[in-house]
Amino acid sequence: MWLMTPLREWLKPPKNLLLILFLLTLVSVTALAWSGWKLLQQDRAGQAQQRLEMLDAEADRMVVTLRGTLAETGDRLSAWLASPSQAGIPRDGVLLIARDNALNAYPEGRLLYYPNPSPDPEAPQETFAQGETLEFQEGQLLKAAAWYRILTESREASIRAGALLREARALRKAGREAEARAAYTRLAGVGGARVAGVPADLAARHELDDPALGAELLSGRWHLTRGQFEFYFGGPVPEDRRLLAEAAAVVWNPPSGPGQTTVWIGHTPFLAMWRTLGSTRAVLIEPPQLPAAERVFCAAVDSEGRLVAGRRDRSGRAAIRTAAETKLPWTLYVTATEPPPLSAMPPNQRYLLFGMGVMALFLVAGTYFTARAIRREIEVSRMQSDFVSAVSHEFRSPLTSIRQLSEILALGRAPGEERRQLYYDTLVRETARLQRLVEALLNFGRMEAGARPYHFEETDAGALLERVAAEFDHQAAESGRRIELTPPGYPCPVEADSEALAVALRNLIDNALKYSPHEPAIWVEWKMENGQVAIRVRDQGAGITADERRAIFRKFVRGSAAAAGNVRGSGVGLAMVLHIVDAHHGEIHVKSEPGSGSTFTILLPAMEKACPASS
Ligand code: ADP
């Protein structure tokens, strides 16, 4: 119990209630958002787990496939070791078979140049010593040529080639061009021998300026070293073949036993695999390749972290298979092709988000409307208490004068007949005022409850206005003021409950007088306008601000003019006017500027037989 009292006290002030409501909503929305977020995260984590499992499965599949491919290549290498063949060599790769110092490349022509010189035989220098003495020391070129010619008949291709080269050279120096070319042409027909370190036919065709030489060099038919190739070829070397030849230069002589390695030529990697059998070595060089994968990116990375093949995506999580665990030449990174886009959010997540959004919306909207209702309630209760104090005040002043005057009269203290009459008149006026007040409040109460019956009958609005205005004559005259009526000169009949309409008009005239206390007059006019009877009550008083112009028609609302002028009133007058005008199917408008007065206009539907002077 002792706890309840302070709690109740604390809960009472509306400001605290609103704060509690706001905090409760905040906590609920936060809790909702938090649990939504948690659920989403859980869902996401589940998805991520699934993706990871998929990546793991793909990585394992990749390892198995790659191992299989490498094992197959190893088997093929062993077979090639026994009998080299063109079949089965990858399109961008080359197979090298090295035996002692002899090196062959398959498919033929794939290697542009070789890491070792041609194994073809070349006649020793001394074979031609005598001829060269004649040629170089004695300058007897033709004699030397004749001497060489004898050797051109040798049965050994290397001697024949060496002799033909020298004969052609001596003849050319002697100016016997035609004979020299004939010798070079013969030399071009000698195969399997070297002269000056290069194949004899190549040397001859070079001397003969053979235009097809470049294309044939590219076909790779001669076993040349890099320097020789570049000397004869001259033009730009196709990059892929240059890289392959460079890779061959690195791995052509591998250590014995089976093996594999990644060779880097500049930024280009090659996979080299080899098998050996005695002194024979079979080496396959090819660009590294990974098996095709659909839903994933796969990257092969060497021990130094360089990307050997495939595509590496560092943005997401990857399934990793290290070279050490798989015994593959590379470490494999398998990643998903793309992160799941937001639109691909599964339907259950979308429903969840949507549901939470709707709940949050309801919560916020509910709080808003509740807060608004509470605020309104607070406002109404404030206005009601203002109303009670205003009404009590209204009652107090006539009651006080009635009491004082009746006491004076009862005690016979009124001096003279004239004064006594004055007191009686005042008593009558104040009682009437009290009655009007009570009537007005009762009327308003009935109207509010919808229990005020209206009795419509033909009423002349002009006559009614004149009657109501006359009621205020005494009050106006007392303060030296007047009510100016502007009758139109014709009757303005309306279908009205004359008593109710009189109440409305009384309120407007009373207000005009109340809110322009220092002005000498107020104006009342009525006439026909567009088939309606327009009744205007105008004053030059305090006026009404724009933001108050609608509010003053609500019950209990008292405007700034009332507060500023400390004017008596209860705040129900205009609400009642609006009620009555509505019941007459009419309209009420107010035109006002603060400081320059107000004009209230009531428009009532005119009766059909109304006067003609409408404008
Ligand atoms: P009350 O006059 O008892 O306060 P009403 O409902 O008649 O209540 O009027 C509501 C408010 O409208 C007034 O408090 C006053 O601020 C404003 N008002 C009404 N008539 C006039 C007028 N002629 N001039 C200036 N203000 C007016």
Side-chain angles (χ1 to χ4, degrees):
M1 264 326 273
W2 57 271
L3 242 178
M4 292 306 281
T5 321
L7 189 68
R8 219 178 291 136
E9 274 306 303
W10 201 78
L11 283 173
K12 220 194 286 171
K15 263 193 186 160
N16 287 355
L17 259 185
L18 281 179
L19 189 70
I20 291 171
L21 191 69
F22 173 73
L23 287 178
L24 279 179
T25 312
L26 196 71
V27 170
S28 320
V29 170
T30 314
L32 198 67
W34 184 80
S35 43
W37 175 244
K38 276 278 152 201
L39 277 173
L40 271 186
Q41 265 189 336
Q42 257 176 27
D43 230 38
R44 286 258 158 102
Q47 278 179 353
Q49 185 59 32
Q50 271 177 12
R51 281 160 72 79
L52 211 61
E53 279 165 15
M54 183 273 282
L55 288 181
D56 272 333
E58 281 295 314
D60 291 337
R61 192 185 65 80
M62 193 67 67
V63 168
V64 170
T65 319
L66 203 55
R67 263 202 208 127
T69 315
L70 291 178
E72 256 174 48
T73 311
D75 292 347
R76 256 185 284 144
L77 268 171
S78 301
W80 281 324
L81 206 50
S83 63
S85 88
Q86 310 268 7
I89 300 170
R91 208 161 43 83
D92 310 328
V94 66
L95 169 68
L96 304 175
I97 303 288
R99 255 185 216 92
D100 303 323
N101 277 335
L103 177 66
N104 290 307
Y106 304 90
E108 269 160 25
R110 176 75 44 95
L111 214 54
L112 270 192
Y113 43 82
Y114 288 70
N116 66 340
S118 164
D120 288 345
E122 179 165 3
Q125 196 79 15
E126 310 83 70
T127 318
F128 311 102
Q130 212 174 329
E132 284 182 343
T133 311
L134 286 171
E135 184 184 348
F136 294 111
Q137 289 177 9
E138 297 171 19
Q140 300 197 24
L141 296 171
L142 290 178
K143 266 195 182 167
W147 192 89
Y148 291 139
R149 196 170 302 127
I150 298 165
L151 289 182
T152 62
E153 302 304 328
S154 166
R155 287 169 62 194
E156 262 188 61
S158 59
I159 297 180
R160 225 168 38 242
L164 277 168
L165 180 82
R166 287 171 175 80
E167 182 196 0
R169 183 177 67 202
L171 287 170
R172 182 167 274 175
K173 279 201 271 186
R176 304 279 185 92
E177 183 59 27
E179 286 166 62
R181 290 186 72 81
Y184 278 129
T185 310
R186 271 187 69 200
L187 178 62
V190 180
R194 277 191 303 156
V195 287
V198 294
D201 51 346
L202 169 64
R205 287 174 65 178
H206 176 68
E207 292 302 328
L208 288 170
D209 289 330
D210 185 347
L213 192 60
E216 269 195 69
L217 276 163
L218 274 186
S219 78
R221 65 171 274 203
W222 289 295
H223 189 126
L224 300 174
T225 61
R226 179 180 177 175
Q228 289 167 341
F229 179 86
E230 284 173 357
F231 172 79
Y232 287 107
F233 185 65
V237 182
E239 187 62 6
D240 53 338
R241 304 199 46 204
R242 182 186 73 76
L243 291 171
L244 200 62
E246 298 285 319
V250 177
V251 288
W252 74 283
N253 200 2
S256 60
Q260 63 197 21
T261 188
T262 309
V263 183
W264 284 88
I265 308 298
H267 296 293
T268 311
F270 288 94
L271 169 66
M273 286 184 73
W274 63 87
R275 297 285 182 275
T276 59
L277 185 67
S279 63
T280 312
R281 289 139 2 236
V283 184
L284 181 72
I285 303 168
E286 61 177 325
Q289 269 180 4
L290 289 174
E294 263 177 21
R295 291 172 299 167
V296 292
F297 290 133
C298 184
V301 173
D302 72 1
S303 55
E304 284 164 46
R306 289 176 294 187
L307 180 69
V308 173
R311 181 171 162 185
R312 186 161 181 193
D313 179 10
R314 291 172 191 271
S315 59
R317 294 185 69 171
I320 304 169
R321 298 290 178 272
T322 61
E325 68 181 289
T326 58
K327 302 285 178 280
L328 289 172
W330 315 297
T331 294
L332 297 182
Y333 290 84
V334 177
T335 44
T337 40
E338 53 195 36
L342 203 64
S343 60
M345 197 185 268
N348 59 337
Q349 281 189 15
R350 259 182 283 162
Y351 292 142
L352 188 77
L353 270 189
F354 180 74
M356 298 232 160
V358 169
M359 268 164 76
L361 207 72
F362 273 129
L363 209 61
V364 171
T367 308
Y368 170 74
F369 286 117
T370 315
R372 211 170 71 153
I374 292 179
R375 246 195 21 245
R376 288 225 167 134
E377 210 48 48
I378 294 166
E379 190 122 314
V380 168
S381 81
R382 187 184 55 75
M383 286 193 302
Q384 265 170 346
S385 81
D386 285 358
F387 168 76
V388 171
S389 75
V391 167
S392 325
H393 192 74
E394 285 283 270
F395 275 96
R396 191 187 287 150
S397 48
L399 273 176
T400 314
S401 16
I402 290 171
R403 187 175 163 203
Q404 284 172 352
L405 290 178
S406 41
E407 267 177 17
I408 292 172
L409 288 171
L411 295 174
R413 290 210 195 129
E417 186 58 28
E418 205 175 315
R419 181 59 66 92
R420 216 173 7 252
Q421 190 55 44
L422 188 70
Y423 287 174
Y424 285 132
D425 288 348
T426 312
L427 276 177
V428 169
R429 237 189 3 264
E430 290 299 292
T431 328
R433 187 173 147 198
L434 263 183
Q435 191 187 0
R436 273 208 307 275
L437 206 61
V438 173
E439 289 285 312
L441 290 176
L442 285 176
N443 260 334
F444 178 69
R446 269 187 248 127
M447 277 176 202
E448 277 283 281
R452 162 79 166 83
Y454 285 91
H455 304 291
F456 293 100
E457 58 193 357
E458 186 181 336
T459 310
D460 180 15
L464 187 69
L465 264 166
E466 280 169 4
R467 181 160 63 75
V468 172
E471 290 175 18
F472 289 89
D473 277 348
H474 180 82
Q475 182 187 335
E478 248 183 359
S479 54
R481 305 161 69 199
R482 62 184 194 281
I483 302 172
E484 277 195 17
L485 303 183
T486 313
Y490 48 80
C492 293
V494 287
E495 184 91 28
D497 179 323
S498 52
E499 227 177 272
L501 194 55
V503 170
L505 298 173
R506 210 172 278 133
N507 264 303
L508 291 187
I509 293 173
D510 188 32
N511 277 353
L513 286 169
K514 276 197 308 189
Y515 296 109
S516 66
H518 308 298
E519 301 303 320
I522 65 160
W523 292 265
V524 179
E525 67 167 37
W526 62 98
K527 59 181 174 184
M528 297 294 297
E529 272 179 18
N530 305 323
Q532 289 174 306
V533 173
I535 300 167
R536 289 202 174 78
V537 178
R538 182 164 67 85
D539 65 69
Q540 288 182 331
I544 302 160
T545 57
D547 49 328
E548 277 185 357
R549 261 172 241 153
R550 278 170 68 92
I552 52 173
F553 288 97
R554 294 210 303 263
K555 61 180 176 182
F556 309 137
V557 173
R558 304 210 66 208
S560 48
N566 195 16
V567 181
R568 66 183 166 80
S570 56
V572 297
L574 286 180
M576 204 147 58
V577 176
L578 185 63
H579 245 293
I580 295 166
V581 170
D582 276 347
H584 285 76
H585 308 292
E587 294 166 28
I588 179 158
H589 303 285
V590 57
K591 246 186 175 176
S592 181
E593 281 305 322
S596 27
S598 320
T599 306
F600 284 84
T601 306
I602 291 179
L603 296 172
L604 295 175
M607 287 185 72
E608 269 187 13
K609 57 174 184 171
C611 52
S614 55
S615 58

